[in-house]
């Protein structure tokens, strides 16, 4: 049975799941939910998913939400190579350590910056508060430094060795996001830069496919200097 | 063969694991790491967790951080009754749905509200920024409403039926936290109130034991 995949390619966990499905040759039907146009708030969407979040999948009448839960499920149910989420208990605990940290440790601060400096001004037409900008930038930088100095301190190709895991896809897609507001976490962080290059090389052409829209928005943003001058 | 548990009962995920260890009868060596006394910044602790967060377990030399990861690990390793985190794939996926949602969906708004209104003013002596409270207070209210209208939109005793799961412990400990700033999510939310009462009675006396410190602080701040 084909997986029904509901997503917006501008959302980080949606890109993660998109990459995971493509890299593992899992066939799926695309259901694009445009968050900027409020598609996730329509009555039709809420009937399927009352908590208005993407990504989610539907298969044989079962709806599953939350990118991490979906990938763990697919790793159990489909014929997925073990390296993505090893069955070995201790390896799994170590990957979980990163995955569970990343929600509030990485995703939240980077998303907050994106919200404060990009999304909210876009939705309200108002300039962000200076205190909000400062607060969100400092949180984002701390988080990027923890990636550089702690999670990537072992100089391996990927977070957990020479093979990709679901943790790498989650991390990379979060780290790409703030480029849309003119901040590239790679700058000044050599380990993070090398790591991001490794993931892109290993997952292309799908990586560039998933990031195509993000890349074109980021290119336009580069010509605007007002937020950059704050960084 | 010993399991060392590093925790502070002021921390929501630390309390979730404390109750889990007690209820399931897993023996552990208690390693209180008091955040208020900078226990998480001590050299000894930073060796165990360089990012300075509790809870952490050290299971015979194997260190596991992050509450969800710890709970999943203990369920696999310690012969825990299946209902806590079912092996059946779809049931597990449904539990994961809640568990992965709660980080940003429930924990973040409740914990930030607590941090802004209670913790930071005590650490810095300064009043919290109104603009930040205005950002997190509505998020916390929405989050409690989602508990009531979505996650508990059934007549089951717990989140996933008539048996406790690790999701329940994680949820209730987050929901207990904002009472330190005078906000009780139970008020005006009958399902949530009944649910929290069920979890409390099912995990007695450990629930009250875990919440003893925050209960005391909450009653002091009412005076």
């Amino acid at each position: 049975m084909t997986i029904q995949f509901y997503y917006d390619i501008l959302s980080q966990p949606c890109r993660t799941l998109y990459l995971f499905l493509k890299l593992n040759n899992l066939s799926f039907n695309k259901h694009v939910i445009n968050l900027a146009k409020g598609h996730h708030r329509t009555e039709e969407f809420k009937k399927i998913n009352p908590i208005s979040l993407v990504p989610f999948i539907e298969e044989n009448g079962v709806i599953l939400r939350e990118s991490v839960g979906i990938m763990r499920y697919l790793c159990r149910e489909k014929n997925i190579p073990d390296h993505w989420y090893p069955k070995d208990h201790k390896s799994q605990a170590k990957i979980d350590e990163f995955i569970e940290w990343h929600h509030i440790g990485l995703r939240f601060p980077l998303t907050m910056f994106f919200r404060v400096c990009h999304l909210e001004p876009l939705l309200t037409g108002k300039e962000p508060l200076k205190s909000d900008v400062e607060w969100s930038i400092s949180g984002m930088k701390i988080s990027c430094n923890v990636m550089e100095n702690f999670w990537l301190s072992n100089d391996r190709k990927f977070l957990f060795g020479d093979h990709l895991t679901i943790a790498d896809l989650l991390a990379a897609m979060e780290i790409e996001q703030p480029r849309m507001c003119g901040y590239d976490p790679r700058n000044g962080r050599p380990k993070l830069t090398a790591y991001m290059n490794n993931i892109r090389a290993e997952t292309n052409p799908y990586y560039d496919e998933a990031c195509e829209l993000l890349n074109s928005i980021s290119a336009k943003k580069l010509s605007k200097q007002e937020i950059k001058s704050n960084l | 063969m010993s399991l060392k548990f590093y925790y502070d009962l002021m921390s929501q995920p630390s309390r979730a694991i404390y109750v889990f260890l007690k209820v399931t009868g897993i023996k552990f060596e208690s390693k209180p790491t008091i955040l208020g006394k900078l226990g998480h910044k001590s050299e000894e602790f930073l060796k165990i967790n360089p990012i300075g967060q509790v809870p952490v377990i050290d299971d015979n030399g194997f260190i596991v951080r992050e509450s969800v990861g710890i709970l999943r690990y203990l369920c696999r390793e310690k012969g825990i009754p299946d209902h806590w985190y079912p092996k059946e794939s779809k049931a597990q996926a449904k539990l994961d749905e809640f568990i992965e949602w709660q980080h940003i969906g429930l924990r973040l708004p409740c914990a930030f509200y607590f941090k802004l209104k209670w913790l930071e003013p005590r650490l810095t002596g300064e009043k919290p920024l109104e603009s930040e409270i205005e950002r997190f207070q509505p998020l916390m209210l929405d989050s409690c409403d989602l508990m009531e209208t979505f996650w508990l939109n059934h007549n089951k005793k717990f989140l996933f039926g008539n048996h406790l799961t690790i999701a329940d412990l994680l949820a209730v400990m987050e929901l207990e936290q904002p009472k330190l700033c005078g906000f009780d999510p139970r008020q005006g939310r009958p399902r949530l109130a009944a649910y929290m009462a069920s979890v409390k009675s099912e995990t007695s006396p450990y629930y009250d034991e875990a919440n003893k410190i925050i209960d005391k602080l909450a009653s002091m701040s009412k005076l």
Side-chain angles (χ1 to χ4, degrees):
Chain A
M1 190 88 175
T2 310
I3 296 166
Q4 308 298 320
F5 176 40
Y6 294 78
Y7 70 104
D8 179 338
I9 207 71
L10 282 180
S11 129
Q12 308 87 311
C14 289
R15 287 197 297 276
T16 297
L17 197 51
Y18 178 88
L19 273 175
F20 183 80
L21 292 167
K22 287 283 188 178
L23 290 163
N24 285 294
N25 289 316
L26 297 170
S27 61
F28 60 92
N29 289 334
K30 296 178 180 179
H31 299 269
V32 175
I33 305 297
N34 191 320
L35 301 177
K37 288 185 181 160
H39 287 175
H40 59 308
R41 304 234 175 255
T42 62
E43 286 308 310
E44 191 197 342
F45 183 84
K46 283 190 174 177
K47 259 184 229 161
I48 317 174
N49 189 1
I51 54 170
S52 298
L53 294 172
V54 286
F56 70 94
I57 63 165
E58 189 263 321
E59 194 184 28
N60 299 325
V62 178
I63 287 176
L64 289 179
R65 305 174 185 88
E66 290 294 323
S67 54
V68 174
I70 295 169
M71 289 192 289
R72 280 193 190 125
Y73 172 79
L74 295 172
C75 286
R76 288 193 299 270
E77 293 288 320
K78 314 284 174 187
N79 198 12
I80 306 291
D82 191 64
H83 67 83
W84 282 105
Y85 190 62
K87 286 186 185 60
D88 169 71
H89 287 187
K90 288 192 171 157
S91 313
Q92 206 171 99
K94 284 289 143 187
I95 294 179
D96 277 358
E97 203 167 72
F98 178 84
I99 288 177
E100 303 301 335
W101 170 82
H102 108 284
H103 290 284
I104 291 181
L106 178 67
R107 171 167 170 70
F108 169 69
L110 272 58
T111 304
M112 218 49 219
F113 169 74
F114 176 75
R115 278 192 73 101
V116 167
C117 298
H118 177 84
L119 201 60
E120 288 174 5
L122 198 78
L123 295 174
T124 62
K126 286 184 202 157
E127 286 292 309
L129 284 177
K130 201 165 180 276
S131 61
D132 279 354
V133 174
E134 281 167 10
W135 168 78
S136 70
I137 289 173
S138 106
M140 174 174 66
K141 287 184 175 171
I142 291 170
S143 165
C144 295
N145 291 340
V146 174
M147 283 302 296
E148 177 81 5
N149 300 325
F150 176 65
W151 294 106
L152 296 170
S153 62
N154 49 35
D155 292 308
R156 291 185 290 205
K157 196 170 169 191
F158 301 116
L159 276 168
F160 296 96
D162 288 330
H163 293 285
L164 280 175
T165 67
I166 59 175
D168 294 304
L169 302 184
L170 289 162
M173 290 303 128
E174 295 298 337
I175 291 163
E176 290 288 0
Q177 195 79 350
R179 284 202 294 118
M180 283 194 276
C181 342
Y183 183 78
D184 188 345
R186 293 171 185 84
N187 289 338
R189 297 186 183 92
K191 284 178 184 163
L192 190 62
T193 305
Y195 169 68
M196 294 291 281
N197 288 341
N198 291 340
I199 297 177
R200 181 169 173 243
E202 190 88 357
T203 60
N204 253 340
Y206 306 119
Y207 195 98
D208 286 349
E209 214 172 280
C211 293
E212 197 186 341
L213 187 54
L214 182 151
N215 286 337
S216 79
I217 293 172
S218 308
K220 278 182 210 152
K221 199 78 193 178
L222 274 181
S223 56
K224 287 193 177 179
Q225 291 301 313
E226 66 270 38
I227 290 171
K228 275 190 82 189
S229 62
N230 281 318
L231 293 173
Chain B
M1 294 289 264
S2 76
L3 183 97
K4 296 188 185 87
F5 174 43
Y6 297 81
Y7 66 101
D8 181 344
L9 291 178
M10 283 295 288
S11 127
Q12 306 86 314
S14 290
R15 292 198 296 274
I17 296 195
Y18 180 88
V19 171
F20 180 79
L21 291 169
K22 288 285 189 175
V23 172
T24 56
I26 299 173
K27 297 251 181 310
F28 64 93
E29 186 184 328
S30 198
K31 293 275 187 186
T33 305
I34 307 303
L35 305 176
K37 292 183 181 159
L38 299 181
H40 60 307
K41 305 267 185 207
S42 74
E43 219 171 288
E44 189 203 341
F45 184 74
L46 288 175
K47 268 185 216 155
I48 294 155
N49 190 3
I51 44 177
Q53 291 174 340
V54 287
V56 179
I57 60 163
D58 176 344
D59 187 18
N60 207 24
F62 183 66
I63 289 167
V64 188
R65 308 174 188 100
E66 288 294 321
S67 55
V68 175
I70 294 170
L71 290 167
R72 295 180 82 240
Y73 171 82
L74 293 171
C75 287
R76 290 193 299 268
E77 293 290 323
K78 305 288 174 191
I80 301 301
D82 191 66
H83 67 84
W84 283 104
Y85 190 64
K87 288 187 186 57
E88 198 275 313
S89 185
K90 287 207 168 78
Q92 198 170 110
K94 281 288 154 190
L95 238 77
D96 276 359
E97 196 171 76
F98 178 83
I99 289 173
E100 301 302 327
W101 170 81
Q102 61 85 30
H103 288 284
I104 290 182
L106 177 67
R107 169 164 171 70
L108 184 94
C110 293
F112 257 73
Y113 186 74
F114 160 75
K115 196 177 144 200
L116 289 171
K117 278 215 64 150
W118 195 91
L119 190 63
E120 283 179 352
R122 276 163 181 78
L123 294 175
T124 63
E126 282 170 32
K127 273 192 170 174
L129 270 183
E130 277 305 315
S131 63
E132 286 195 53
I133 289 181
E134 275 167 32
R135 182 182 285 281
F136 286 100
Q137 191 164 17
L139 287 179
M140 179 177 71
L141 297 175
D142 283 353
S143 158
C144 296
D145 288 342
L146 268 185
M147 286 301 296
E148 178 80 7
T149 59
F150 178 67
W151 295 105
L152 295 169
N153 186 20
H154 52 56
N155 292 318
K156 295 173 203 163
K157 201 168 165 191
F158 304 116
L159 276 168
F160 295 96
N162 289 320
H163 292 286
L164 278 176
T165 66
I166 59 174
D168 295 306
L169 300 184
L170 291 163
V172 294
M173 293 307 162
E174 296 301 336
L175 290 160
E176 288 287 357
Q177 199 77 355
K179 74 175 164 212
L180 285 163
C181 355
F183 176 73
D184 185 351
R186 294 169 186 88
Q187 298 212 341
R189 296 184 186 84
R191 281 183 193 143
L192 190 62
Y195 165 68
M196 288 179 73
S198 302
V199 178
K200 180 178 157 143
S201 82
E202 190 86 358
T203 58
S204 185
Y206 307 118
Y207 193 95
D208 285 342
E209 212 172 282
N211 286 307
K212 202 172 143 191
I213 295 171
I214 66 161
D215 284 344
K216 194 176 157 201
L217 288 169
S219 67
M220 277 162 64
S221 55
K222 268 186 206 151
L223 296 174

